[in-house]
Amino acid sequence: MKLYSPAIVRQIIEKHKFHFQKSLGQNFLIDGNIVNKIVEAAGINTDDTVLEIGAGIGTLTSALAEKAGKVVVIEIDKNLLPILGETLAGCENVEIFTGNALRTDFDELVYEKTGGVYGKGQRAYKVVANLPYYITTPLVMHALESHFNIDLMVFMVQKEVAERIVAQPGGKDYGALTLGVNYYSEPQKVIRVPKKVFMPQPEVESAVVRLKTRAKPPALVEDEEFFFQVVRAAFGQRRKTLANTVSGLNDKLEKSTVAKTLSDIGIDPGRRGETLSFEEFARIANTIYLLVHAPGNN
Ligand code: SAM
């Protein structure tokens, strides 16, 4: 069922006496052109299993179901189930799971819903979503950090979040989210999306991003946890110099030793996090990690 008109969406919603819940980020797509762009960006064919986060009334779901072999959906709002029963009536290849995506093991769910063919230890799948904006960053990071067997993600997010994801060193948008997403994937901005393609209209502009998962990070990282500690410290206090933020990480780190160590690896200790490339962050984290764990320092 095609739901690409405000009149049809309104009709369905009124028929089922559905009330939008702002607290669940319920801004439904009503524009077929944008739906097609999202599906195109995911390059879906019948060989694909797609996991969708948040079905709404099934607008994107039905477009995905036309192209994919299987679509598995996680939707938190039980009130949408009767609507989905109607709008997805002809879609035999859609499986709906009611639950909170943030607390769901995507690999387990996909494994179960595909009879063990995709998911954990099996074939990789794609994730596509018009994300609920109140939890965009945690959901993106859950999908990435959990090392699920996903090869591609296409997400509609707030325009500002998209800009932070694809930012380059040196700008105000470049930060911990940029480094976090780039650690696990190669991000690309696909299109900007105006407010008017949603019902109800959100307060912010949106954009679609495409994240191709990486087999390994863009530079060698000896210790993932320590790398992110350095990144968080550098962006937690953006005005402080690197020598200050790095020496604050551990009691064993003297500021003068940190400054000399940074100079030795070709990094000016007076620089700030926002100027450092991924490779430079990795170089700093790997070297300082060795300093913290040097014999006699434990
Ligand atoms: N895909 C639909 C569309 O494009 O029209 C709906 C997108 S709407 C922006 C976000 C959807 O995510 C809503 O249906 C909402 O109920 C659902 N949702 C919100 N929080 C969720 C969560 N934690 N887990 C799963 N679904 C959630």
Side-chain angles (χ1 to χ4, degrees):
M1 185 173 183
K2 297 255 191 288
L3 302 158
Y4 310 148
S5 107
I8 297 177
V9 174
R10 207 167 287 124
Q11 198 186 355
I12 291 180
I13 280 167
E14 278 168 15
K15 178 175 162 196
H16 290 268
K17 299 189 170 46
F18 177 78
H19 298 285
F20 288 102
Q21 291 199 58
K22 205 176 169 191
S23 63
L24 288 179
Q26 291 180 337
N27 303 95
F28 299 159
L29 276 168
I30 49 167
D31 184 306
N33 189 31
I34 297 294
V35 170
N36 291 340
K37 289 253 163 60
I38 296 173
V39 176
E40 250 169 54
I44 296 163
N45 61 52
T46 50
D47 219 20
D48 285 314
T49 285
V50 179
L51 175 70
E52 187 194 4
I53 302 167
I57 60 168
T59 311
L60 182 55
T61 322
S62 56
L64 292 168
E66 268 179 33
K67 302 268 180 192
K70 172 81 92 189
V71 180
V72 180
V73 172
I74 310 174
E75 173 55 62
I76 201 167
D77 187 358
K78 289 195 177 71
N79 296 327
L80 287 164
L81 294 180
I83 299 185
L84 290 169
E86 182 180 329
T87 58
L88 301 175
C91 305
E92 301 295 328
N93 57 346
V94 177
E95 298 273 349
I96 300 174
F97 167 74
T98 321
N100 183 345
L102 269 181
R103 301 224 187 93
T104 304
D105 182 326
F106 296 173
D107 271 8
E108 296 272 355
L109 178 68
V110 168
Y111 184 90
E112 186 200 315
K113 299 289 188 192
T114 59
V117 180
Y118 292 78
K120 197 169 228 110
Q122 304 299 321
R123 295 185 61 182
Y125 52 96
K126 294 177 176 173
V127 178
V128 178
N130 169 17
L131 287 174
Y133 290 173
Y134 74 108
I135 43 169
T136 305
T137 304
L139 272 173
V140 171
M141 292 321 291
H142 175 59
L144 290 168
E145 282 172 351
S146 309
H147 293 285
F148 292 136
N149 194 6
I150 301 167
D151 53 15
L152 185 77
M153 307 181 202
V154 175
F155 292 134
M156 172 90 78
V157 298
Q158 301 92 313
K159 185 176 77 93
E160 288 71 19
V161 174
E163 278 160 6
R164 283 162 57 204
I165 287 175
V166 300
Q168 296 298 318
K172 67 169 177 36
D173 294 325
Y174 186 71
L177 181 65
T178 322
L179 274 297
V181 171
N182 275 272
Y183 186 94
Y184 301 102
S185 71
E186 275 174 66
Q188 190 193 341
K189 192 160 142 193
V190 180
I191 36 161
R192 276 184 68 166
V193 179
K195 297 176 189 179
K196 65 172 190 227
V197 305
F198 299 93
M199 184 193 281
Q201 288 192 18
E203 276 147 29
V204 291
E205 303 287 330
S206 302
V208 176
V209 291
R210 187 175 184 273
L211 313 180
K212 175 94 194 81
T213 41
R214 297 181 192 270
K216 51 187 175 54
L220 175 77
V221 172
E222 298 286 356
D223 187 277
E224 182 171 325
E225 203 184 317
F226 191 72
F227 171 82
F228 283 114
Q229 274 179 33
V230 173
V231 168
R232 275 194 297 270
F235 291 108
Q237 298 150 305
R238 291 180 88 103
R239 303 303 310 151
K240 282 201 175 179
T241 66
L242 207 48
N244 272 318
T245 52
V246 171
S247 57
L249 279 173
N250 192 298
D251 293 345
K252 294 169 199 157
L253 295 170
E254 288 288 335
K255 191 175 158 193
S256 55
T257 317
V258 167
K260 176 165 185 330
T261 308
L262 291 173
S263 295
D264 288 349
I265 58 168
I267 309 250
D268 177 347
R271 283 174 68 183
R272 299 197 170 92
E274 64 202 32
T275 69
L276 297 163
S277 68
F278 189 104
E279 187 281 323
E280 287 175 318
F281 265 114
R283 205 180 332 149
I284 295 164
N286 294 345
T287 311
I288 302 294
Y289 183 81
L290 287 181
L291 201 62
V292 174
H293 293 90
N297 244 349
N298 286 312

